[in-house]
Each structure stands twice: as structure tokens, then as C-alpha cells.
Short mmCIF file of all heavy atoms in Angstrom, two decimals:
data_model
loop_
_atom_site.label_atom_id
_atom_site.label_comp_id
_atom_site.label_asym_id
_atom_site.label_seq_id
_atom_site.Cartn_x
_atom_site.Cartn_y
_atom_site.Cartn_z
N VAL A 45 -72.66 74.54 -40.04
CA VAL A 45 -73.98 73.91 -40.09
C VAL A 45 -74.37 73.62 -41.53
O VAL A 45 -74.88 72.54 -41.85
CB VAL A 45 -75.04 74.82 -39.42
CG1 VAL A 45 -76.41 74.15 -39.42
CG2 VAL A 45 -74.62 75.17 -37.99
N PHE A 46 -74.12 74.56 -42.44
CA PHE A 46 -74.49 74.42 -43.84
C PHE A 46 -73.79 73.24 -44.50
O PHE A 46 -74.43 72.40 -45.16
CB PHE A 46 -74.14 75.72 -44.58
CG PHE A 46 -74.40 75.70 -46.05
CD1 PHE A 46 -75.70 75.72 -46.54
CD2 PHE A 46 -73.35 75.71 -46.97
CE1 PHE A 46 -75.95 75.72 -47.91
CE2 PHE A 46 -73.59 75.72 -48.33
CZ PHE A 46 -74.89 75.72 -48.80
N ASP A 47 -72.47 73.15 -44.33
CA ASP A 47 -71.72 72.07 -44.96
C ASP A 47 -72.20 70.71 -44.45
O ASP A 47 -72.34 69.74 -45.22
CB ASP A 47 -70.23 72.21 -44.67
CG ASP A 47 -69.59 73.33 -45.48
OD1 ASP A 47 -70.32 74.22 -45.97
OD2 ASP A 47 -68.34 73.32 -45.63
N LYS A 48 -72.45 70.63 -43.16
CA LYS A 48 -72.92 69.37 -42.59
C LYS A 48 -74.30 69.02 -43.14
O LYS A 48 -74.60 67.86 -43.43
CB LYS A 48 -72.95 69.48 -41.06
CG LYS A 48 -73.08 68.14 -40.34
CD LYS A 48 -73.05 68.31 -38.83
CE LYS A 48 -71.72 68.80 -38.34
NZ LYS A 48 -71.66 68.87 -36.86
N HIS A 49 -75.14 70.05 -43.30
CA HIS A 49 -76.48 69.84 -43.84
C HIS A 49 -76.41 69.29 -45.26
O HIS A 49 -77.16 68.37 -45.62
CB HIS A 49 -77.26 71.15 -43.83
CG HIS A 49 -78.65 71.05 -44.35
ND1 HIS A 49 -79.74 70.75 -43.56
CD2 HIS A 49 -79.14 71.17 -45.61
CE1 HIS A 49 -80.83 70.71 -44.30
NE2 HIS A 49 -80.49 70.96 -45.55
N LEU A 50 -75.50 69.82 -46.09
CA LEU A 50 -75.36 69.31 -47.46
C LEU A 50 -74.92 67.85 -47.47
O LEU A 50 -75.38 67.06 -48.29
CB LEU A 50 -74.38 70.17 -48.26
CG LEU A 50 -74.79 71.61 -48.56
CD1 LEU A 50 -73.77 72.26 -49.50
CD2 LEU A 50 -76.18 71.68 -49.17
N ALA A 51 -74.02 67.50 -46.56
CA ALA A 51 -73.60 66.09 -46.46
C ALA A 51 -74.78 65.22 -46.02
O ALA A 51 -74.95 64.09 -46.52
CB ALA A 51 -72.44 65.96 -45.48
N MET A 52 -75.59 65.73 -45.10
CA MET A 52 -76.77 64.98 -44.66
C MET A 52 -77.74 64.76 -45.82
O MET A 52 -78.32 63.67 -45.96
CB MET A 52 -77.47 65.72 -43.52
CG MET A 52 -76.72 65.71 -42.21
SD MET A 52 -77.60 66.69 -40.95
CE MET A 52 -76.52 66.45 -39.53
N GLU A 53 -77.91 65.79 -46.66
CA GLU A 53 -78.78 65.64 -47.83
C GLU A 53 -78.25 64.56 -48.76
O GLU A 53 -79.02 63.80 -49.35
CB GLU A 53 -78.91 66.97 -48.57
CG GLU A 53 -79.74 68.02 -47.84
CD GLU A 53 -81.21 67.62 -47.74
OE1 GLU A 53 -81.75 67.01 -48.69
OE2 GLU A 53 -81.82 67.90 -46.70
N ALA A 54 -76.92 64.49 -48.88
CA ALA A 54 -76.32 63.43 -49.69
C ALA A 54 -76.60 62.06 -49.05
O ALA A 54 -76.96 61.10 -49.75
CB ALA A 54 -74.81 63.66 -49.82
N GLY A 55 -76.45 61.98 -47.73
CA GLY A 55 -76.72 60.73 -47.04
C GLY A 55 -78.15 60.27 -47.20
O GLY A 55 -78.43 59.07 -47.35
N ARG A 56 -79.07 61.22 -47.21
CA ARG A 56 -80.49 60.88 -47.39
C ARG A 56 -80.79 60.36 -48.79
O ARG A 56 -81.82 59.70 -49.00
CB ARG A 56 -81.35 62.10 -47.06
CG ARG A 56 -81.30 62.50 -45.59
CD ARG A 56 -82.19 63.68 -45.26
NE ARG A 56 -82.08 64.03 -43.85
CZ ARG A 56 -81.55 65.15 -43.38
NH1 ARG A 56 -81.11 66.08 -44.22
NH2 ARG A 56 -81.47 65.37 -42.08
N GLU A 57 -79.91 60.67 -49.73
CA GLU A 57 -80.09 60.14 -51.10
C GLU A 57 -79.42 58.78 -51.28
O GLU A 57 -79.43 58.23 -52.38
CB GLU A 57 -79.50 61.13 -52.12
CG GLU A 57 -80.28 62.42 -52.28
CD GLU A 57 -81.63 62.23 -52.94
OE1 GLU A 57 -81.88 61.14 -53.51
OE2 GLU A 57 -82.44 63.18 -52.89
N GLY A 58 -78.83 58.26 -50.19
CA GLY A 58 -78.22 56.93 -50.27
C GLY A 58 -76.71 56.93 -50.34
O GLY A 58 -76.09 55.87 -50.49
N VAL A 59 -76.08 58.10 -50.24
CA VAL A 59 -74.62 58.18 -50.27
C VAL A 59 -74.04 57.60 -48.98
O VAL A 59 -74.52 57.90 -47.88
CB VAL A 59 -74.15 59.64 -50.44
CG1 VAL A 59 -72.63 59.75 -50.31
CG2 VAL A 59 -74.62 60.19 -51.77
N GLU A 60 -73.03 56.76 -49.10
CA GLU A 60 -72.30 56.25 -47.94
C GLU A 60 -71.23 57.27 -47.58
O GLU A 60 -70.38 57.60 -48.41
CB GLU A 60 -71.66 54.90 -48.24
CG GLU A 60 -70.85 54.34 -47.08
CD GLU A 60 -70.12 53.05 -47.41
OE1 GLU A 60 -70.49 52.39 -48.42
OE2 GLU A 60 -69.17 52.69 -46.69
N ILE A 61 -71.29 57.80 -46.36
CA ILE A 61 -70.36 58.84 -45.93
C ILE A 61 -69.35 58.25 -44.95
O ILE A 61 -69.73 57.60 -43.97
CB ILE A 61 -71.11 60.02 -45.29
CG1 ILE A 61 -72.13 60.61 -46.27
CG2 ILE A 61 -70.13 61.11 -44.84
CD1 ILE A 61 -73.05 61.65 -45.65
N ARG A 62 -68.08 58.51 -45.20
CA ARG A 62 -67.03 58.05 -44.30
C ARG A 62 -66.21 59.26 -43.86
O ARG A 62 -65.50 59.87 -44.66
CB ARG A 62 -66.13 57.02 -44.99
CG ARG A 62 -66.83 55.69 -45.27
CD ARG A 62 -65.95 54.77 -46.09
NE ARG A 62 -66.52 53.43 -46.19
CZ ARG A 62 -66.04 52.35 -45.58
NH1 ARG A 62 -64.96 52.44 -44.81
NH2 ARG A 62 -66.62 51.17 -45.73
N ILE A 63 -66.31 59.64 -42.59
CA ILE A 63 -65.55 60.76 -42.05
C ILE A 63 -64.25 60.25 -41.45
O ILE A 63 -64.05 59.04 -41.26
CB ILE A 63 -66.36 61.56 -41.02
CG1 ILE A 63 -66.87 60.65 -39.90
CG2 ILE A 63 -67.53 62.26 -41.69
CD1 ILE A 63 -67.55 61.42 -38.78
N LYS A 64 -63.36 61.19 -41.15
CA LYS A 64 -62.02 60.86 -40.62
C LYS A 64 -61.33 59.83 -41.52
O LYS A 64 -60.61 58.95 -41.05
CB LYS A 64 -62.14 60.33 -39.18
CG LYS A 64 -60.87 60.35 -38.34
CD LYS A 64 -60.37 61.74 -38.05
CE LYS A 64 -59.16 61.71 -37.13
NZ LYS A 64 -58.56 63.05 -36.95
N THR A 65 -61.57 59.97 -42.82
CA THR A 65 -61.04 59.03 -43.80
C THR A 65 -60.23 59.80 -44.82
O THR A 65 -60.76 60.64 -45.55
CB THR A 65 -62.18 58.26 -44.50
OG1 THR A 65 -62.92 57.53 -43.51
CG2 THR A 65 -61.63 57.29 -45.53
N GLN A 66 -58.94 59.54 -44.86
CA GLN A 66 -58.04 60.31 -45.71
C GLN A 66 -57.54 59.47 -46.88
O GLN A 66 -57.13 58.33 -46.71
CB GLN A 66 -56.84 60.80 -44.90
CG GLN A 66 -55.91 61.72 -45.70
CD GLN A 66 -54.92 62.44 -44.82
OE1 GLN A 66 -54.77 62.12 -43.64
NE2 GLN A 66 -54.24 63.44 -45.36
N ALA A 67 -57.62 60.04 -48.07
CA ALA A 67 -57.04 59.40 -49.25
C ALA A 67 -55.53 59.55 -49.18
O ALA A 67 -55.01 60.65 -48.99
CB ALA A 67 -57.59 60.04 -50.52
N LYS A 68 -54.81 58.45 -49.36
CA LYS A 68 -53.35 58.47 -49.24
C LYS A 68 -52.65 58.30 -50.58
O LYS A 68 -51.45 58.54 -50.70
CB LYS A 68 -52.89 57.35 -48.30
CG LYS A 68 -53.57 57.36 -46.93
CD LYS A 68 -53.23 58.58 -46.12
CE LYS A 68 -51.84 58.51 -45.55
NZ LYS A 68 -51.55 59.63 -44.62
N GLY A 69 -53.41 57.87 -51.60
CA GLY A 69 -52.83 57.68 -52.92
C GLY A 69 -53.83 56.96 -53.81
O GLY A 69 -54.87 56.49 -53.34
N LEU A 70 -53.53 56.88 -55.09
CA LEU A 70 -54.46 56.19 -55.99
C LEU A 70 -53.70 55.45 -57.08
O LEU A 70 -52.54 55.75 -57.39
CB LEU A 70 -55.48 57.15 -56.58
CG LEU A 70 -55.02 58.37 -57.36
CD1 LEU A 70 -54.68 58.03 -58.81
CD2 LEU A 70 -56.12 59.45 -57.34
N LYS A 71 -54.40 54.48 -57.66
CA LYS A 71 -53.83 53.65 -58.73
C LYS A 71 -54.85 53.53 -59.84
O LYS A 71 -56.03 53.28 -59.58
CB LYS A 71 -53.46 52.28 -58.18
CG LYS A 71 -52.93 51.30 -59.23
CD LYS A 71 -52.73 49.92 -58.61
CE LYS A 71 -52.29 48.91 -59.68
NZ LYS A 71 -52.19 47.53 -59.12
N LYS A 72 -54.41 53.69 -61.07
CA LYS A 72 -55.26 53.52 -62.24
C LYS A 72 -55.23 52.04 -62.64
O LYS A 72 -54.16 51.49 -62.91
CB LYS A 72 -54.76 54.40 -63.37
CG LYS A 72 -55.58 54.35 -64.65
CD LYS A 72 -56.83 55.17 -64.54
CE LYS A 72 -57.45 55.39 -65.92
NZ LYS A 72 -58.79 55.96 -65.85
N GLU A 73 -56.40 51.39 -62.65
CA GLU A 73 -56.48 49.98 -62.99
C GLU A 73 -56.58 49.77 -64.50
O GLU A 73 -56.87 50.69 -65.25
CB GLU A 73 -57.69 49.34 -62.28
CG GLU A 73 -57.71 49.51 -60.77
CD GLU A 73 -56.61 48.73 -60.05
OE1 GLU A 73 -55.86 47.98 -60.72
OE2 GLU A 73 -56.49 48.88 -58.83
N GLU A 74 -56.37 48.53 -64.94
CA GLU A 74 -56.40 48.22 -66.36
C GLU A 74 -57.77 48.48 -66.98
O GLU A 74 -57.88 48.82 -68.17
CB GLU A 74 -55.99 46.76 -66.60
CG GLU A 74 -54.50 46.49 -66.35
CD GLU A 74 -54.10 45.07 -66.72
OE1 GLU A 74 -54.96 44.33 -67.25
OE2 GLU A 74 -52.94 44.70 -66.46
N ASP A 75 -58.82 48.32 -66.19
CA ASP A 75 -60.18 48.55 -66.72
C ASP A 75 -60.56 50.03 -66.71
O ASP A 75 -61.69 50.38 -67.06
CB ASP A 75 -61.21 47.72 -65.95
CG ASP A 75 -61.32 48.13 -64.48
OD1 ASP A 75 -60.57 49.03 -64.04
OD2 ASP A 75 -62.17 47.55 -63.76
N GLY A 76 -59.62 50.90 -66.32
CA GLY A 76 -59.87 52.33 -66.30
C GLY A 76 -60.30 52.88 -64.96
O GLY A 76 -60.22 54.09 -64.71
N SER A 77 -60.77 52.02 -64.08
CA SER A 77 -61.25 52.47 -62.77
C SER A 77 -60.07 52.92 -61.90
O SER A 77 -58.90 52.68 -62.22
CB SER A 77 -62.01 51.35 -62.06
OG SER A 77 -61.14 50.27 -61.75
N TYR A 78 -60.40 53.58 -60.79
CA TYR A 78 -59.39 54.05 -59.85
C TYR A 78 -59.52 53.30 -58.52
O TYR A 78 -60.64 53.13 -58.01
CB TYR A 78 -59.53 55.54 -59.58
CG TYR A 78 -58.91 56.42 -60.64
CD1 TYR A 78 -59.68 56.97 -61.66
CD2 TYR A 78 -57.54 56.69 -60.62
CE1 TYR A 78 -59.10 57.79 -62.63
CE2 TYR A 78 -56.96 57.50 -61.59
CZ TYR A 78 -57.75 58.04 -62.59
OH TYR A 78 -57.17 58.84 -63.55
N THR A 79 -58.39 52.87 -57.99
CA THR A 79 -58.36 52.32 -56.64
C THR A 79 -57.65 53.33 -55.74
O THR A 79 -56.50 53.71 -56.01
CB THR A 79 -57.63 50.97 -56.59
OG1 THR A 79 -58.36 50.02 -57.38
CG2 THR A 79 -57.54 50.45 -55.16
N VAL A 80 -58.36 53.78 -54.73
CA VAL A 80 -57.83 54.79 -53.82
C VAL A 80 -57.50 54.14 -52.48
O VAL A 80 -58.35 53.46 -51.89
CB VAL A 80 -58.84 55.93 -53.60
CG1 VAL A 80 -58.29 56.97 -52.62
CG2 VAL A 80 -59.19 56.60 -54.94
N THR A 81 -56.27 54.31 -52.04
CA THR A 81 -55.87 53.81 -50.73
C THR A 81 -56.26 54.83 -49.67
O THR A 81 -55.92 56.02 -49.78
CB THR A 81 -54.36 53.56 -50.68
OG1 THR A 81 -54.02 52.58 -51.66
CG2 THR A 81 -53.93 53.06 -49.30
N CYS A 82 -57.00 54.37 -48.67
CA CYS A 82 -57.53 55.26 -47.62
C CYS A 82 -57.06 54.81 -46.25
O CYS A 82 -56.73 53.64 -46.03
CB CYS A 82 -59.06 55.24 -47.65
SG CYS A 82 -59.79 55.70 -49.23
N GLU A 83 -57.08 55.77 -45.33
CA GLU A 83 -56.77 55.45 -43.93
C GLU A 83 -57.81 56.08 -43.03
O GLU A 83 -58.16 57.25 -43.18
CB GLU A 83 -55.38 55.97 -43.56
CG GLU A 83 -55.00 55.64 -42.11
CD GLU A 83 -53.62 56.16 -41.72
OE1 GLU A 83 -52.93 56.73 -42.59
OE2 GLU A 83 -53.27 56.01 -40.54
N CYS A 84 -58.33 55.29 -42.10
CA CYS A 84 -59.30 55.77 -41.12
C CYS A 84 -58.99 55.17 -39.76
O CYS A 84 -59.03 53.94 -39.59
CB CYS A 84 -60.72 55.40 -41.55
SG CYS A 84 -62.00 55.87 -40.36
N MET A 85 -58.66 56.04 -38.82
CA MET A 85 -58.40 55.61 -37.44
C MET A 85 -57.37 54.46 -37.38
O MET A 85 -57.53 53.49 -36.64
CB MET A 85 -59.70 55.19 -36.77
CG MET A 85 -60.80 56.22 -36.79
SD MET A 85 -60.39 57.74 -35.89
CE MET A 85 -60.51 57.15 -34.19
N GLY A 86 -56.32 54.58 -38.19
CA GLY A 86 -55.26 53.58 -38.19
C GLY A 86 -55.48 52.42 -39.13
O GLY A 86 -54.56 51.64 -39.39
N GLU A 87 -56.69 52.26 -39.65
CA GLU A 87 -56.98 51.16 -40.58
C GLU A 87 -56.74 51.63 -42.02
O GLU A 87 -57.21 52.70 -42.42
CB GLU A 87 -58.44 50.72 -40.43
CG GLU A 87 -58.84 49.61 -41.39
CD GLU A 87 -60.33 49.31 -41.40
OE1 GLU A 87 -61.07 49.98 -40.65
OE2 GLU A 87 -60.75 48.44 -42.20
N VAL A 88 -56.02 50.84 -42.79
CA VAL A 88 -55.75 51.15 -44.19
C VAL A 88 -56.57 50.20 -45.07
O VAL A 88 -56.58 48.99 -44.84
CB VAL A 88 -54.24 51.02 -44.51
CG1 VAL A 88 -53.99 51.30 -45.99
CG2 VAL A 88 -53.43 51.98 -43.64
N PHE A 89 -57.25 50.75 -46.06
CA PHE A 89 -58.08 49.93 -46.94
C PHE A 89 -58.19 50.61 -48.31
O PHE A 89 -57.84 51.78 -48.46
CB PHE A 89 -59.48 49.72 -46.34
CG PHE A 89 -60.19 50.99 -46.01
CD1 PHE A 89 -61.05 51.60 -46.93
CD2 PHE A 89 -60.01 51.62 -44.77
CE1 PHE A 89 -61.71 52.78 -46.62
CE2 PHE A 89 -60.66 52.80 -44.46
CZ PHE A 89 -61.51 53.39 -45.39
N ASP A 90 -58.68 49.86 -49.30
CA ASP A 90 -58.80 50.37 -50.66
C ASP A 90 -60.27 50.50 -51.07
O ASP A 90 -61.10 49.67 -50.69
CB ASP A 90 -58.11 49.43 -51.66
CG ASP A 90 -56.60 49.45 -51.52
OD1 ASP A 90 -56.06 50.47 -51.06
OD2 ASP A 90 -55.95 48.44 -51.88
#
């Protein structure tokens, strides 16, 4: 209950929450940012 409540508090502050979403790898871009490859319910996206 506690962990879920903390996530809800984050959501109430405007955080976009994606569950059942696994990070599969990451890439460092030239501008310094990170691109993370994710998978959710069979869909792969960055």
C-alpha cells in the first residue's frame, strides 16, 4: 500500500507513470541525453 501511495503522490505532481514497462537497454546521445529502449506488453519504444 505504501509504495503504491508514493507513486500516486508522484502522479498527483504531474509525473507520467508507466507500469509493466521494462527498460531493455540505453544509448548515450551526442547531446549527452539518454535514450532508453523500453518494452510494454509486447510494444517496443524509446
Side-chain angles (χ1 to χ4, degrees):
V45 182
F46 177 71
D47 285 20
K48 195 178 294 184
H49 180 90
L50 293 187
M52 289 177 179
E53 288 293 324
R56 293 182 181 113
E57 290 291 347
V59 174
E60 178 184 342
I61 302 172
R62 291 174 172 251
I63 55 174
K64 198 66 176 174
T65 300
Q66 185 167 12
K68 306 295 284 187
L70 57 82
K71 177 186 176 184
K72 182 78 166 169
E73 304 292 356
E74 289 186 5
D75 64 358
S77 66
Y78 278 98
T79 297
V80 179
T81 300
C82 303
E83 181 180 356
C84 176
M85 305 297 287
E87 179 189 0
V88 178
F89 56 92
D90 290 334

